[in-house]
Amino acid sequence: MTETIATAAPPAHPVRQLLAASVGNAVEWYDWYAYTFLATYIADQVFPKGADNSLVPLLATFAVFAVGFFMRPVGGLLMGAVADRRGRRAALTVTILLMGGSSLLVGVTPTYASVGVLAPVILVVARLLQGLSVGGEFAASTTFLVESAGPKRRGLFSSFQYVSTSIGQLIASGVAALLVGTLAEGQMDGWGWRVPFIAGAVLSLVGFWIRQGAQETRSEAHERPGLFDALRQYPRQSLLICGITAGGTLAYYTWTSYLPTYAELNTDIDKSQALTVGTISLAFFALLQPVGGMLSDRFGRKPLLLFFGLGFALLSVPLLHSLTGSFASLLFAQCAGMVLLTGFTSISAAVNAEVFPARVRAAGIGFPYSLTVALFGGTAPYMGTLFKDLGHSGLFPWYVAVLCLVSSVVYLRLPESAHRELDR
């Protein structure tokens, strides 16, 4: 098959491109994490414990697993294909509108007491749309960010993928904490939990408006790729994305989401202290990302990837075993992990984009990346809790270390791409 055209030249206003991708991504992840922080209030209203209807717990289980483990890969494939066929900006428009609509739907979901089993059905639909949107957002925004970068700046631009994700998570955490701290319990249960989702829908419109001013990074192609062209024509590259991502996504979800819970399960640390440490370390993590991106533009991608992979392979067990239940021990372990993790997160978008040719870049990244995140990142809390329930909590750090070692082998064999021209 003859390659006729791939992407346009780098945009004339890269900072505007950076803002368009970052603002939308922050809004996407604000909505995603708001659900996580407020899940207990939602469950009380939509999945009441005393419900006699057996469909209710079944639908709750379906919402957690089907959305988290299925819809993100589907979103990565479908929205990636839209980005490759119709343009990156078109896909980014779809994902931000999907997220806004699904956020609004969560915010207006009726209670089980008012409409019965229809309430969890509506919530499941909303979460399906959110999963589709988040999976598609990574595929489209990753490609858009890297293609928007000028020469020798792909790593720097790549780093803003996780800067914006962290900002979205911090805002969601702050809004949830503010509501819980200021509203009475009855108000929070009644209507307070809906506020962040309605606000998320409004923020999505702001993101949509900003993205309308962005410049498309893909030119019109004479021949548009099919839905499965990336998987069919580039199977090795698809597997490579899985190998690059496996250790990184497990470490990311362990250190940014699960570590406070892990500390609570295995030490006597106070829950509020654990959450405070999580917030501080997440802000620290966001500040590190541009540093990692710039270092990779200067010294290459492989040194940072190996710093991450080998660092976690060697230090995951000592860091997690160093937790004593004190504020200081958790802060040290979490911040030390964030430094190592930056070797992966700050450049993962650039590394992924440099693996595939432009014609199938978004779909090529989207599906294998999101599938790997679902298999290893999304299951990190479950695996940690499972090891604890089985009486072998000490094995979880080894699980993290081994998977990071496996990814390190992939990094060793990965050709250096930092100073190579991006396929356009």
Side-chain angles (χ1 to χ4, degrees), residues 202-213:
V202 175
L203 289 173
S204 295
L205 293 178
V206 175
F208 169 78
W209 174 73
I210 291 173
R211 284 183 167 179
Q212 294 311 292

Side-chain angles (χ1 to χ4, degrees), residues 63-370:
V64 172
F65 287 93
V67 173
F69 293 83
F70 177 70
M71 289 309 292
R72 284 179 64 172
V74 173
L77 180 63
L78 294 180
M79 292 298 103
V82 170
D84 287 332
R85 291 176 62 84
R86 302 293 181 184
R88 318 310 189 201
R89 200 177 73 168
L92 290 172
T93 298
V94 173
T95 58
I96 197 71
L97 291 178
L98 269 177
M99 180 56 75
S102 59
S103 183
L104 180 62
L105 193 57
V106 173
V108 299
T109 297
T111 64
Y112 183 84
S114 62
V115 297
V117 76
L118 182 60
V121 169
I122 292 172
L123 185 64
V124 167
V125 170
R127 290 293 287 168
L128 288 170
L129 292 175
Q130 281 185 320
L132 189 74
S133 174
V134 169
E137 174 70 16
F138 184 88
S141 65
T142 292
T143 308
F144 182 82
L145 267 174
V146 178
E147 290 176 352
S148 295
K152 300 180 180 180
R153 298 179 72 186
R154 295 199 301 267
L156 175 61
F157 272 52
S158 167
S159 70
F160 281 86
Q161 185 81 38
Y162 280 91
V163 171
S164 54
T165 297
S166 299
I167 289 172
Q169 188 173 352
L170 286 168
I171 293 173
S173 175
V175 169
L178 179 64
L179 288 169
V180 172
T182 56
L183 296 181
E185 186 172 346
Q187 292 176 313
M188 195 65 198
D189 287 330
W191 56 267
W193 65 269
R194 300 179 185 275
V195 173
F197 300 104
I198 295 172
V202 175
L203 289 173
S204 295
L205 293 178
V206 175
F208 169 78
W209 174 73
I210 291 173
R211 284 183 167 179
Q212 294 311 292
Q215 181 181 334
E216 178 57 62
T217 61
R218 185 190 191 282
S219 298
E220 286 295 322
H222 298 297
E223 185 177 3
R224 290 174 175 170
L227 183 62
F228 297 102
D229 275 10
L231 291 171
R232 187 173 59 251
Q233 296 172 10
Y234 301 97
R236 178 183 172 277
Q237 286 85 343
S238 297
L239 289 173
L240 192 60
I241 295 292
C242 295
I244 291 169
T245 305
T249 187
L250 175 60
Y252 174 76
Y253 279 94
T254 298
W255 249 259
T256 63
S257 300
Y258 180 59
L259 195 57
T261 302
Y262 178 86
E264 291 171 42
L265 289 173
N266 294 280
T267 71
D268 58 356
I269 191 168
D270 179 71
K271 183 175 182 177
S272 63
Q273 285 190 322
L275 291 175
T276 301
V277 170
T279 302
I280 294 171
S281 61
L282 194 62
F284 174 63
F285 176 70
L287 294 173
L288 289 175
Q289 300 312 295
V291 177
M294 289 187 289
L295 286 173
S296 81
D297 285 332
R298 183 177 178 86
F299 299 109
R301 315 289 188 229
K302 286 183 68 172
L304 266 77
L305 289 173
L306 289 170
F307 169 75
F308 153 73
L310 295 177
F312 263 99
L314 293 172
L315 297 176
S316 292
V317 176
L319 284 174
L320 292 179
H321 283 174
S322 72
L323 299 176
T324 63
S326 71
F327 183 93
S329 72
L330 180 56
L331 183 63
F332 172 78
Q334 194 148 12
C335 287
M338 294 302 195
V339 173
L340 295 173
L341 187 58
T342 297
F344 169 79
T345 53
S346 64
I347 59 172
S348 64
V351 172
N352 290 338
E354 289 160 356
V355 167
F356 279 94
R359 177 177 172 272
V360 293
R361 180 170 289 139
I365 295 170
F367 181 73
Y369 173 85
S370 296

